[in-house]
Amino acid sequence: MTVVPAFLRRTSLVTRIILGLLLGIVVGVAHPPTALALGLLGEVFISALKAVAPVLVLVLVVASIAGHRGGGTHMRPVLMLYLLATVAASLVGVAASFLFPTTLVLKAADTAAQAAPSGIGAVLHTLLLQIVDNPVNALVKANYIGVLAWGVGLGLALRHAGDATRAMLADVSAAFTRVVQWVIVLAPVGVFGIVASTIAGAGLGALADYARLLAVLLGAMLAVALLANPLIVFLVTRRNPYPLVLTCLRESGITAFFTRSSAANIPVNLALCKRLGLHEGTYSVAIPLGATINMAGAAITISVLTLAAVHTLGIQVDLPTALLLSVVAAIGACGASGVPGGSLLLVPLACGLFGIEDSVAMQVVAVGFVVGVVQDSAETALNSSSDVVFTAAACAHAERTAR
C-alpha cells in the first residue's frame, strides 16, 4: 500500500495514532489559528467513516448470510451474551452513580435541541419503523437497524443463489472492507486534526468543570471492561478470561477509541477474530451485528447522565426505579447508532422515567457533548472490543460442550 510512507508502514497503526495525538496537542497549544484550520482533516476523516460504514454493514451481512452453508454457527449464545453484557453494564453505571453521586451546572442546550424519544413506547415504535425503513433511506441516514434488517433479509433471500452470485457478494464485501481499511490507515491524520482543533478551541482545561462526571463514566466503563466482562467470559468458558479481554482491548479497543465508530471498526474486529481462529460462520455475522446492538458503553452513558440529572434536581430514587432505569438504558442502548455520539439523544428517554422535562434533559445532552470528547471514544472502545470478547467466548463454549 502506498498511502503512507515506508518508514511509517513499519510502525503499528496504534503508534501512528499516538504520534498524531501528540502532534495535535503540540500544534493546538503552540499555534491555535493553524490548529483550528487543521480541524478540517478531522472532519474529512470522520465524514469518510460515516459515508462508508452503513454500506459496509449491509454488504457484510448480506455476503455472510448468503454465503453461509451451515456448519453450526453459535449465534444464539452470542446474542445472549450481548444482551446480558448490556444489562450488566447498565447496572454498573447505576451503581457507580449512587456510589459517586454527581451534580451538573445545567446551561442552555441550543446545540442539542434535537428530537429525542419521549418514552419506552416511543423507542419501540421508532425501532420498528427503523426496521422497515426504505433501504436507500437507511443507508443515507445511517439507520443501522434498518441496514441490518435489510442485510439479513437480502442475505436469507440469496441463500439459494448460484455459486457465482455468492462469490460476487464475497468479492464486493472484501472490496468494501478494503476501502474502510484505507480510511482507517488515515486515522493518524484525522486524529491530528481533531485533537489540534479541540485543544485550540477549548483549551487543555476544557473538561475541568465536568471532571467528576467524566471520572464516573470512565470508571464505570473500566469496571465493565476489566471486571464485569471477564466475569461473564469466565462463567461461560471456565478459563482465565484476561488474555482474551486484554488482547481485544489492545487490538480492537484502542483503534475504536480513536475512530469513535463501532461500525467503522468492523474490519479490525473481523481481522482479529480471524487471528484468534474463531468460527468464521459465526464471527462474520456476529461482528457486524454487535456493532449495531452490543452497546455496553452506551448503556453506561445513558444511565450515568440520567442519574446525574436526577441528583442535580434532588429527586429520590428507590431500588425498583433504579432497576427499571437499568432495563430502559439497556433497551435504549441497543437502538443507539454505532457512530460518534449515538447514545446521547437517548438520555431524555431515561430522564422521562423521573418526570424530568425535555428542556432540562436536553441540557444534560449538551453536557454529554462536552464530556463526549473523551467519553464517546471510551464508550466506542468498550462497545467494539466487547464484540470480539463475547464472540470468542461463545465459540469457546461451543467447542467445550462439543467435546
Side-chain angles (χ1 to χ4, degrees):
M1 184 181 297
T2 60
V3 176
V4 292
F7 77 94
L8 286 179
R9 293 202 302 271
R10 289 194 291 269
T11 63
S12 68
L13 176 63
V14 173
T15 301
R16 299 198 298 271
I17 288 175
I18 292 174
L19 288 174
L21 172 66
L22 295 176
L23 286 174
I25 293 173
V26 171
V27 174
V29 172
H31 202 274
T34 300
L36 289 172
L38 290 171
L40 177 62
L41 296 175
E43 293 176 10
V44 170
F45 173 64
I46 295 299
S47 295
L49 289 177
K50 289 180 178 179
V52 73
V55 183
L56 175 69
V57 171
L58 176 65
V59 172
L60 283 176
V61 173
V62 171
S64 298
I65 296 177
H68 178 56
R69 285 297 196 180
T73 61
H74 317 304
M75 285 307 301
R76 181 176 295 179
V78 172
L79 291 174
M80 293 301 296
L81 288 175
Y82 283 171
L83 177 61
L84 175 62
T86 302
V87 174
S90 183
L91 288 170
V92 170
V94 170
S97 295
F98 279 109
L99 289 173
F100 307 99
T102 304
T103 58
L104 306 173
V105 178
L106 299 178
K107 302 178 180 179
D110 294 337
T111 58
Q114 305 177 46
S118 58
I120 191 64
V123 168
L124 296 177
H125 177 267
T126 300
L127 288 178
L128 181 60
L129 292 180
Q130 287 178 330
I131 289 173
V132 297
D133 192 9
N134 180 287
V136 176
N137 187 63
L139 288 171
V140 172
K141 299 294 181 61
N143 167 16
Y144 286 98
I145 296 294
V147 169
L148 179 64
W150 278 101
V152 171
L154 289 173
L156 291 174
L158 290 168
R159 285 288 296 274
H160 303 291
D163 292 338
T165 300
R166 289 199 306 276
M168 181 271 294
L169 289 172
D171 290 340
V172 172
S173 174
F176 273 100
T177 300
R178 180 62 61 87
V179 170
V180 175
Q181 290 172 339
W182 289 343
V183 175
I184 292 177
V185 165
L186 300 176
V189 178
V191 169
F192 168 68
I194 292 170
V195 172
S197 61
T198 300
I199 296 299
L204 291 172
L207 300 179
D209 292 339
Y210 303 101
R212 183 178 178 89
L213 175 63
L214 187 61
V216 173
L217 284 165
L218 298 182
M221 291 178 191
L222 282 173
V224 169
L226 299 177
L227 296 176
N229 284 357
L231 177 60
I232 294 173
V233 172
F234 173 75
L235 293 175
V236 171
T237 64
R238 302 298 179 180
R239 301 176 184 170
N240 178 7
Y242 283 100
L244 171 64
V245 169
L246 295 178
T247 296
C248 293
L249 286 173
R250 183 179 66 250
E251 300 294 332
S252 172
I254 292 178
T255 305
F257 183 91
F258 289 105
T259 63
R260 301 176 71 188
S261 173
S262 297
N265 209 47
I266 288 174
V268 176
N269 282 351
L270 291 175
L272 177 56
C273 288
K274 184 176 182 179
R275 291 199 299 274
L276 292 174
L278 305 185
H279 187 271
E280 184 176 1
T282 298
Y283 74 71
S284 62
V285 177
I287 294 303
L289 182 64
T292 303
I293 67 170
N294 184 34
M295 296 289 176
I300 292 172
T301 297
I302 295 169
S303 57
V304 170
L305 285 175
T306 299
L307 287 176
V310 167
H311 291 141
T312 300
L313 299 175
I315 300 173
Q316 299 299 315
V317 182
D318 56 17
L319 181 59
T321 305
L323 294 177
L324 178 59
L325 171 62
S326 299
V327 174
V328 170
I331 294 173
C334 292
S337 171
V339 295
S343 62
L344 291 177
L345 287 182
L346 290 163
V347 171
L349 159 68
C351 286
L353 290 175
F354 304 96
I356 299 175
E357 296 181 357
D358 285 346
S359 59
V360 176
M362 295 312 292
Q363 292 181 47
V364 178
V365 175
V367 173
F369 281 117
V370 175
V371 300
V373 174
V374 177
Q375 165 271 326
D376 191 55
S377 294
E379 175 185 312
T380 307
L382 174 60
N383 291 341
S384 193
S385 62
S386 296
D387 294 346
V388 182
V389 167
F390 294 124
T391 300
C395 291
H397 174 71
E399 293 174 0
R400 183 169 64 88
T401 55
R403 293 172 185 168

